[in-house]
Amino acid sequence: MIKFFLMVNKQGQTRLSKYYEHVEINKRTLLETEVIKSCLSRSSEQCSFIEYKDFKLIYRQYAALFIVVGVNDTENEMAIYEFIHNFVEVLDDYFSRVSELDVSFFSAVNQVFHSTWQRTG
Amino acid sequence: MVASSSSLKLQDLIQEIREAKTQAQEREVIQKECAHIRASFRDGDPLHRHRQLAKLLYVHMLGYPAHFGQMECLKLIASPRFTDKRVGYLGAMLLLDERQDAHLLITNSIKNDLSQGIQAVQGLALCTLSATGSAEMCRDLATEVEKLLLQPSAYVRKKAVLTAVHMIRKVPELSNIFLPPCAQLLHEHHHGVLLGTIMLITELCERSPAALKHFRKMVPQLVHILRTLVTTGYSTEHSISGVSDPFLQVQILRLLRILGRNHEESSETMNDLLAQVATNTDTSRNAGNAVLFETVLTIMDIRSAAGLRVLAVNILGRFLLNSDRNIRYVALTSLLRLVQSDHSAVQRHRPTVVECLREPDGSLSRRALELSLALVNSSNVRAMTQELQGFLESCPPDLQADCASGILLAAERFAPTKRWHIDTTLRVLMTAGTHVRDDAVANLTQLIGGAQELHAYSVRRLYSALAEDISQQPLVQVAAWCIGEYGDLLLEGSCEETEPLQVEEEEVLALLERVLQSHMSLPATRGYALTALMKLSTRLRGDNNRIRQVVSVYGSCLDVELQQRAVEYNTLFRKYDHMRAAILEKIPLVERGGSQADEEAKESKETAQLSEAAPVPTEPQASKLLDLLDLLDGPSGDAQHPPPLDPTPGGALIHLLNLPCAPPPPAPIPNLKVFEREGLQLNLSFVRPPGTRTLLLITVTATNTSGGDVTHFICQAAVPKSFQLQLQAPSGDTVPAQGGLPTTQLLRILNPKKAPLRLKLRLTYNHFGQSVQEIFEVNNLPVETWQ
């Protein structure tokens, strides 16, 4: 099951966040900084799956933006990896060559749109 | 002024926030805006409400509190305009989770919207319901959702199915509502709905065994769907890098896994399909690999044919050789799961797994380590240990502890020879000494003690290791112990197995002194070193002045443990020199975790090691180390971990801890009065515990009916050679006068040969200002005590 879905840039600013389980608001920022720290410290040679506390993080980097999905044990990591890419491709189609700016400006629209994916995990 | 900022569009707000250079500036902007939003909400302006809420949601996403927008969400949802509803529902999803009180209020709005008939609105309502529906809401609205499952519009159906999934997760009892439509929904062509249906069925099956049975009948249908997916050609709508709808495939495979688990018939139906998927999927891209991975997981879980399982392991092996690290990670994880059940198949891939140990990536090397440790068996233990030790030298510190304990465990289980075992343990201690588990030292000393022929060899190696490096504490402890025990062998000079090492006495003493003085040494290590020095005083041929000097210096050491030892050893030198050799003899081998090995009556022997004798944590410390009639569990020898003792300066070394004795179990054997003198009486009561035929528990009770207290009361016992005796701590050392509380002490006697019991008791105490000592044999022991 997907626990959360984040789009965070390299400076640590959250562009999009969707939590599928209740997390306190102050814990969210903490979680996001920790997650981005662990993703940033990986080189391009290392694999995209990190074990973090009791869930797994699957991340993918697109230019300066990191898309991180947190899942629990039952998920197929590679399917999620593919799902992230699928999502980016859809965004690309929708915004015709999406960039981080688009993501941050249309974040509200993104929310609606993103919720149509719901919890496909 | 209010109007102008209330019409600030969301985009403008975002622009402003982005322009803020510092965190403080951003906070300012946002606070100002929130104040405007709050004012606008209060004024109740319906036209721009949605804009305000949109801004509020953006601010919420950045992490600022936004709870004051909750009621506005409700108002927006209730409004007839679509733009309002859209933002309202979005706000509801983000702000109104179950913990908020306002949550239930949206139920009615959702209900109305669901029955409205406008797809977009229904879609919104379903979305919100599936994201944040609470249990009550789900129960209320379940029937509505069910009706929507069979709507003509695929858009609505898809959302309805996903909402149903959420409802099942929240309220499993609703499964009987959602069960019937599933059969029909499986005939869908629309992949979105199909995917949702599969998920719904998966949830139903996971939560109720009845549903599981019901859906097993659908296995052929699922197989058919998957087969069509795999075999049909390229379909632009659903293909991702050449694989048609991998998400659907993965989901179907997962469902098949759940259905086929522990069920022969379904598993059989699936066998062909799984083989087909496994062979036909294109693995050049990630999507294909994802499907393949899911297939492997399914094969592993169901009752598949043996050939299929081998196929699965081979696929995983192929994954391991792939250059993409993600795939290797995934393969290692699954192999770890498989290694229990299909050990031999996984063994074939051992070389590749060992390769992965050298990965720079942390997650990969950790998995590889776990898998390698699981793959060690008696035939490959030497090679594997070699590899693992290489890994140990280069791996990051957090993995070192696991690696070290893994290697030691494997060595214990599969060591081909004792010498190899000692070597391996030594090497691990030298490389990662600080990370090993606590009992590694104990195990190693045990091992060395047991391998008589290797004493000389081990002491030499340990000496050389110690001479190089005195910082690794476990290594230093073992080395000190060994040098103390086998110092004479070290100085002898010849040993076939290592190079000849000429060691002078002075060098050995100097080394031990260095260990004692080094600030890197832990107190326990110092204890080991001091005792080793002491033992060397009998083993070395030179005179003992140097040792005596060191020992007396430490007599005033600040560390209490060391001070105590030093003082005791000093006393040994001064007053009891004649006993020194006997006391410092070589330790007999102690059984690991066993009870104390036992005694010859009236022969002084080395104070034995205190192993896991948990019921006898601390014993009365005999003041003089002489007249050892029996076992005295004084830890002044080589305690592995000396238990904390009460501090005493110099002289009186009697510690008596008032440990309450275990109450004696009811004794069918009659009590025996064994001693009486001037009002002090000693009684023995016997218990034969029913489980063990060889065990006898004796409780010695001392009562005092005289006018004066009996103080410093010590009772010791001796038994013949074939028996084993254990003395537990007495309840006290004073028997108060006038029939006060008696002192009790428990003796445990093991009589494996069932020989007739003979018991000799020795009492020392002070009574009426006189010190009394009595030794006598207990006569008239009832026959039941030993038969």
Side-chain angles (χ1 to χ4, degrees), chain B residues 579-600:
Chain B
M579 316 227 83
R580 192 160 44 88
I583 291 178
L584 295 173
E585 263 180 22
K586 294 212 171 93
I587 298 181
L589 188 62
V590 179
E591 288 163 34
R592 193 181 303 191
S595 46
Q596 321 274 339
D598 222 52
E599 75 286 5
E600 326 280 324

Side-chain angles (χ1 to χ4, degrees), chain A residues 16-121:
Chain A
L16 177 69
S17 75
K18 184 85 168 118
Y19 287 86
Y20 292 101
E21 250 187 5
H22 183 79
V23 178
E24 303 287 336
I25 204 142
N26 44 356
K27 291 216 185 90
R28 287 189 192 192
T29 6
L30 191 64
L31 179 72
E32 282 157 28
T33 15
E34 274 183 28
V35 161
I36 194 71
K37 218 178 1 184
S38 30
C39 292
L40 280 176
S41 56
R42 316 271 288 184
S43 69
S44 59
E45 310 246 307
Q46 295 176 307
C47 81
S48 312
F49 312 136
I50 308 177
E51 271 136 47
Y52 171 78
K53 293 198 188 155
D54 55 346
F55 26 70
K56 292 191 264 209
L57 299 174
I58 298 156
Y59 73 94
R60 249 187 125 135
Q61 186 180 4
Y62 292 94
L65 199 63
F66 278 89
I67 301 189
V68 187
V69 178
V71 293
N72 70 357
D73 279 337
T74 55
E75 282 297 337
N76 180 342
E77 293 98 331
M78 313 205 47
I80 300 283
Y81 192 72
E82 204 52 45
F83 163 67
I84 297 179
H85 192 67
N86 205 344
F87 180 62
V88 171
E89 277 180 8
V90 173
L91 279 185
D92 204 24
D93 265 344
Y94 185 77
F95 291 106
S96 43
R97 301 211 46 131
V98 67
S99 71
E100 188 190 336
L101 223 54
D102 294 315
V103 174
S104 54
F105 270 107
F106 292 96
S107 57
V109 176
N110 254 342
Q111 293 276 23
V112 172
F113 157 55
H114 179 79
S115 65
T116 65
W117 286 96
Q118 292 179 326
R119 307 182 223 195
T120 57

Side-chain angles (χ1 to χ4, degrees), chain B residues 516 526-527 530-531 533-534 547-574 625 636 648 650 653:
Chain B
L516 263 179
R526 293 217 177 98
L530 192 59
T531 312
L533 268 178
M534 196 56 200
I547 299 181
R548 289 186 72 153
Q549 233 176 350
V550 173
V551 165
S552 55
V553 161
Y554 275 89
S556 43
C557 170
L558 282 175
D559 182 333
V560 171
E561 169 66 28
L562 274 185
Q563 185 189 69
Q564 176 166 7
R565 289 191 187 208
V567 167
E568 285 169 11
Y569 295 153
N570 237 347
T571 325
L572 208 52
F573 268 126
R574 282 187 287 116
L625 295 171
S636 68
T648 43
L653 295 173

Side-chain angles (χ1 to χ4, degrees), chain B residues 377-428:
Chain B
N377 65 18
S378 38
S379 48
N380 59 22
V381 67
R382 282 187 201 253
M384 287 296 276
T385 328
Q386 198 75 2
E387 293 282 341
L388 286 170
Q389 274 175 337
F391 177 64
L392 187 62
E393 278 157 22
S394 55
C395 74
D398 46 340
L399 285 180
Q400 267 191 343
D402 291 329
C403 193
S405 23
I407 298 180
L408 289 179
L409 214 67
E412 231 175 85
R413 282 169 63 194
F414 298 118
T417 59
K418 280 207 175 149
R419 180 175 154 177
W420 181 89
H421 194 173
I422 293 182
D423 275 342
T424 317
T425 323
L426 263 179
R427 202 171 147 192
V428 170

Side-chain angles (χ1 to χ4, degrees), chain B residues 424-436:
Chain B
T424 317
T425 323
L426 263 179
R427 202 171 147 192
V428 170
L429 282 183
M430 285 196 278
T431 336
T434 37
H435 298 282
V436 293

